[in-house]
Short mmCIF file of all heavy atoms in Angstrom, two decimals:
data_model
loop_
_atom_site.label_atom_id
_atom_site.label_comp_id
_atom_site.label_asym_id
_atom_site.label_seq_id
_atom_site.Cartn_x
_atom_site.Cartn_y
_atom_site.Cartn_z
N CYS A 949 -22.10 94.77 121.39
CA CYS A 949 -22.45 94.34 120.04
C CYS A 949 -22.19 95.44 119.01
O CYS A 949 -22.29 95.20 117.81
CB CYS A 949 -23.83 93.91 119.90
SG CYS A 949 -24.97 95.23 120.31
N HIS A 950 -21.75 96.63 119.44
CA HIS A 950 -21.62 97.74 118.45
C HIS A 950 -20.58 97.47 117.41
O HIS A 950 -20.80 97.62 116.26
CB HIS A 950 -21.30 99.02 119.23
CG HIS A 950 -22.35 99.63 120.01
ND1 HIS A 950 -22.34 100.81 120.51
CD2 HIS A 950 -23.58 99.13 120.30
CE1 HIS A 950 -23.41 101.14 121.13
NE2 HIS A 950 -24.26 100.05 121.02
N HIS A 951 -19.40 97.07 117.84
CA HIS A 951 -18.30 96.85 116.86
C HIS A 951 -17.73 95.41 116.89
O HIS A 951 -16.76 95.16 116.26
CB HIS A 951 -17.18 97.88 117.16
CG HIS A 951 -17.56 99.27 116.91
ND1 HIS A 951 -17.81 99.90 115.78
CD2 HIS A 951 -17.87 100.24 117.90
CE1 HIS A 951 -18.15 101.14 115.89
NE2 HIS A 951 -18.31 101.39 117.19
N ALA A 952 -18.51 94.48 117.44
CA ALA A 952 -18.12 93.05 117.48
C ALA A 952 -18.36 92.58 116.06
O ALA A 952 -19.24 92.97 115.30
CB ALA A 952 -18.92 92.30 118.49
N PRO A 953 -17.70 91.44 115.66
CA PRO A 953 -17.90 90.81 114.33
C PRO A 953 -19.42 90.33 114.28
O PRO A 953 -19.89 89.75 115.28
CB PRO A 953 -16.95 89.53 114.39
CG PRO A 953 -15.92 89.98 115.38
CD PRO A 953 -16.53 90.84 116.43
N GLY A 954 -19.98 90.80 113.20
CA GLY A 954 -21.41 90.51 113.03
C GLY A 954 -22.34 91.39 113.81
O GLY A 954 -23.54 91.23 113.87
N GLY A 955 -21.78 92.45 114.44
CA GLY A 955 -22.46 93.37 115.20
C GLY A 955 -23.21 94.50 114.45
O GLY A 955 -23.33 94.47 113.22
N LEU A 956 -23.58 95.48 115.19
CA LEU A 956 -24.38 96.57 114.58
C LEU A 956 -23.71 97.29 113.38
O LEU A 956 -24.22 97.59 112.35
CB LEU A 956 -24.91 97.51 115.66
CG LEU A 956 -25.78 96.96 116.68
CD1 LEU A 956 -26.18 98.01 117.70
CD2 LEU A 956 -27.04 96.38 116.07
N GLN A 957 -22.32 97.63 113.67
CA GLN A 957 -21.63 98.26 112.69
C GLN A 957 -21.44 97.38 111.39
O GLN A 957 -21.60 97.89 110.29
CB GLN A 957 -20.23 98.68 113.15
CG GLN A 957 -19.47 99.63 112.15
CD GLN A 957 -20.21 100.89 111.82
OE1 GLN A 957 -20.61 101.55 112.74
NE2 GLN A 957 -20.59 101.04 110.53
N ASP A 958 -21.28 96.08 111.56
CA ASP A 958 -21.21 95.18 110.43
C ASP A 958 -22.57 95.19 109.70
O ASP A 958 -22.63 95.08 108.42
CB ASP A 958 -20.80 93.75 110.82
CG ASP A 958 -19.44 93.71 111.13
OD1 ASP A 958 -18.63 94.65 110.90
OD2 ASP A 958 -18.93 92.67 111.65
N LEU A 959 -23.68 95.15 110.36
CA LEU A 959 -24.98 95.23 109.70
C LEU A 959 -25.13 96.46 108.92
O LEU A 959 -25.71 96.48 107.78
CB LEU A 959 -26.12 95.14 110.72
CG LEU A 959 -26.23 93.75 111.46
CD1 LEU A 959 -27.35 93.86 112.50
CD2 LEU A 959 -26.57 92.66 110.35
N LEU A 960 -24.71 97.69 109.49
CA LEU A 960 -24.85 98.94 108.75
C LEU A 960 -24.03 98.89 107.50
O LEU A 960 -24.44 99.40 106.47
CB LEU A 960 -24.39 100.11 109.66
CG LEU A 960 -25.42 100.60 110.84
CD1 LEU A 960 -24.70 101.44 111.73
CD2 LEU A 960 -26.53 101.17 110.11
N ASP A 961 -22.80 98.37 107.61
CA ASP A 961 -21.85 98.20 106.39
C ASP A 961 -22.44 97.34 105.36
O ASP A 961 -22.28 97.62 104.18
CB ASP A 961 -20.42 97.61 106.90
CG ASP A 961 -19.76 98.64 107.77
OD1 ASP A 961 -20.07 99.86 107.80
OD2 ASP A 961 -18.67 98.20 108.39
N GLU A 962 -23.15 96.24 105.77
CA GLU A 962 -23.78 95.38 104.78
C GLU A 962 -24.98 96.11 104.06
O GLU A 962 -25.12 95.89 102.86
CB GLU A 962 -24.36 94.13 105.48
CG GLU A 962 -23.33 93.12 105.92
CD GLU A 962 -23.88 91.96 106.63
OE1 GLU A 962 -25.11 91.54 106.36
OE2 GLU A 962 -23.26 91.41 107.52
N CYS A 963 -25.71 96.90 104.79
CA CYS A 963 -26.86 97.65 104.21
C CYS A 963 -26.38 98.82 103.41
O CYS A 963 -27.05 99.08 102.26
CB CYS A 963 -27.73 98.01 105.30
SG CYS A 963 -28.63 96.69 106.11
N TRP A 964 -25.47 99.64 103.79
CA TRP A 964 -25.10 100.81 103.21
C TRP A 964 -23.67 100.89 102.68
O TRP A 964 -23.35 101.98 102.10
CB TRP A 964 -25.32 102.07 104.21
CG TRP A 964 -26.66 102.02 104.88
CD1 TRP A 964 -26.78 101.90 106.21
CD2 TRP A 964 -27.98 102.17 104.32
NE1 TRP A 964 -28.15 101.91 106.51
CE2 TRP A 964 -28.86 102.08 105.34
CE3 TRP A 964 -28.44 102.25 103.02
CZ2 TRP A 964 -30.19 102.08 105.16
CZ3 TRP A 964 -29.80 102.37 102.80
CH2 TRP A 964 -30.71 102.28 103.87
N GLY A 965 -22.90 99.96 102.81
CA GLY A 965 -21.53 99.86 102.39
C GLY A 965 -20.64 100.43 103.56
O GLY A 965 -21.13 101.06 104.45
N PRO A 966 -19.33 100.16 103.39
CA PRO A 966 -18.48 100.59 104.49
C PRO A 966 -18.50 102.08 104.59
O PRO A 966 -18.58 102.84 103.66
CB PRO A 966 -17.15 100.13 104.05
CG PRO A 966 -17.36 99.09 103.04
CD PRO A 966 -18.72 99.37 102.39
N ARG A 967 -18.54 102.56 105.92
CA ARG A 967 -18.50 103.91 106.15
C ARG A 967 -17.08 104.57 105.85
O ARG A 967 -16.07 103.88 106.06
CB ARG A 967 -18.96 104.36 107.55
CG ARG A 967 -18.10 103.74 108.61
CD ARG A 967 -18.66 103.87 109.98
NE ARG A 967 -17.80 103.03 110.87
CZ ARG A 967 -17.28 103.41 112.04
NH1 ARG A 967 -17.65 104.54 112.39
NH2 ARG A 967 -16.57 102.62 112.71
N GLN A 968 -17.13 105.80 105.43
CA GLN A 968 -15.87 106.52 105.21
C GLN A 968 -15.45 107.00 106.53
O GLN A 968 -16.24 107.73 107.22
CB GLN A 968 -16.01 107.56 104.21
CG GLN A 968 -16.29 107.09 102.84
CD GLN A 968 -16.29 108.17 101.80
OE1 GLN A 968 -15.99 109.36 102.20
NE2 GLN A 968 -16.35 107.84 100.52
N THR A 969 -14.23 106.78 106.83
CA THR A 969 -13.67 107.28 108.04
C THR A 969 -12.96 108.61 107.82
O THR A 969 -12.39 108.81 106.84
CB THR A 969 -12.71 106.36 108.73
OG1 THR A 969 -11.68 106.03 107.81
CG2 THR A 969 -13.37 105.06 109.11
N ARG A 970 -13.19 109.54 108.72
CA ARG A 970 -12.58 110.82 108.62
C ARG A 970 -11.62 110.96 109.81
O ARG A 970 -11.95 110.57 110.90
CB ARG A 970 -13.67 111.95 108.72
CG ARG A 970 -14.50 112.05 107.51
CD ARG A 970 -15.58 113.01 107.60
NE ARG A 970 -16.75 112.38 108.16
CZ ARG A 970 -17.70 112.90 108.82
NH1 ARG A 970 -17.66 114.18 109.05
NH2 ARG A 970 -18.76 112.18 109.22
N LEU A 971 -10.39 111.57 109.48
CA LEU A 971 -9.50 111.81 110.55
C LEU A 971 -9.96 112.98 111.36
O LEU A 971 -10.54 113.96 110.80
CB LEU A 971 -8.13 112.16 109.94
CG LEU A 971 -7.54 110.97 109.10
CD1 LEU A 971 -6.19 111.48 108.56
CD2 LEU A 971 -7.28 109.79 110.05
N LYS A 972 -9.83 112.88 112.66
CA LYS A 972 -10.15 114.00 113.52
C LYS A 972 -9.06 114.34 114.43
O LYS A 972 -8.27 113.46 114.71
CB LYS A 972 -11.55 113.68 114.22
CG LYS A 972 -11.43 112.54 115.23
CD LYS A 972 -12.76 112.38 115.90
CE LYS A 972 -12.74 111.24 116.88
NZ LYS A 972 -13.93 111.02 117.52
N GLU A 973 -9.09 115.54 114.91
CA GLU A 973 -8.06 115.92 115.90
C GLU A 973 -8.33 115.34 117.24
O GLU A 973 -9.43 115.33 117.72
CB GLU A 973 -7.99 117.43 115.96
CG GLU A 973 -6.81 117.96 116.73
CD GLU A 973 -6.76 119.45 116.57
OE1 GLU A 973 -7.04 120.04 115.49
OE2 GLU A 973 -6.46 120.07 117.60
N LEU A 974 -7.29 114.66 117.89
CA LEU A 974 -7.46 114.07 119.14
C LEU A 974 -7.44 115.17 120.24
O LEU A 974 -6.79 116.14 120.15
CB LEU A 974 -6.30 113.08 119.42
CG LEU A 974 -6.30 111.94 118.51
CD1 LEU A 974 -4.98 111.11 118.85
CD2 LEU A 974 -7.54 110.95 118.68
N PRO A 975 -8.38 114.96 121.24
CA PRO A 975 -8.43 116.02 122.29
C PRO A 975 -7.17 115.90 123.08
O PRO A 975 -6.52 114.85 123.19
CB PRO A 975 -9.58 115.44 123.18
CG PRO A 975 -9.83 114.05 122.82
CD PRO A 975 -9.31 113.88 121.39
N VAL A 976 -6.79 116.98 123.71
CA VAL A 976 -5.55 117.03 124.46
C VAL A 976 -6.01 116.95 125.98
O VAL A 976 -6.90 117.67 126.48
CB VAL A 976 -4.84 118.44 124.25
CG1 VAL A 976 -3.65 118.49 125.14
CG2 VAL A 976 -4.45 118.52 122.80
N LEU A 977 -5.37 116.04 126.63
CA LEU A 977 -5.59 115.73 128.08
C LEU A 977 -4.85 116.63 128.92
O LEU A 977 -3.84 117.33 128.47
CB LEU A 977 -5.28 114.27 128.39
CG LEU A 977 -6.06 113.23 127.63
CD1 LEU A 977 -5.48 111.91 127.89
CD2 LEU A 977 -7.49 113.24 128.03
N PRO A 978 -5.14 116.72 130.22
CA PRO A 978 -4.27 117.59 131.18
C PRO A 978 -2.81 117.02 131.06
O PRO A 978 -2.61 115.86 130.97
CB PRO A 978 -4.91 117.32 132.54
CG PRO A 978 -6.35 116.89 132.17
CD PRO A 978 -6.31 116.28 130.88
#
Side-chain angles (χ1 to χ4, degrees):
C949 63
H950 286 192
H951 297 283
L956 298 180
Q957 188 59 55
D958 285 352
L959 291 175
L960 286 169
D961 291 346
E962 287 177 29
C963 292
W964 310 117
R967 61 188 168 135
Q968 291 189 356
T969 56
R970 287 177 267 157
L971 297 176
K972 62 181 182 178
E973 190 172 318
L974 294 174
V976 177
L977 299 172

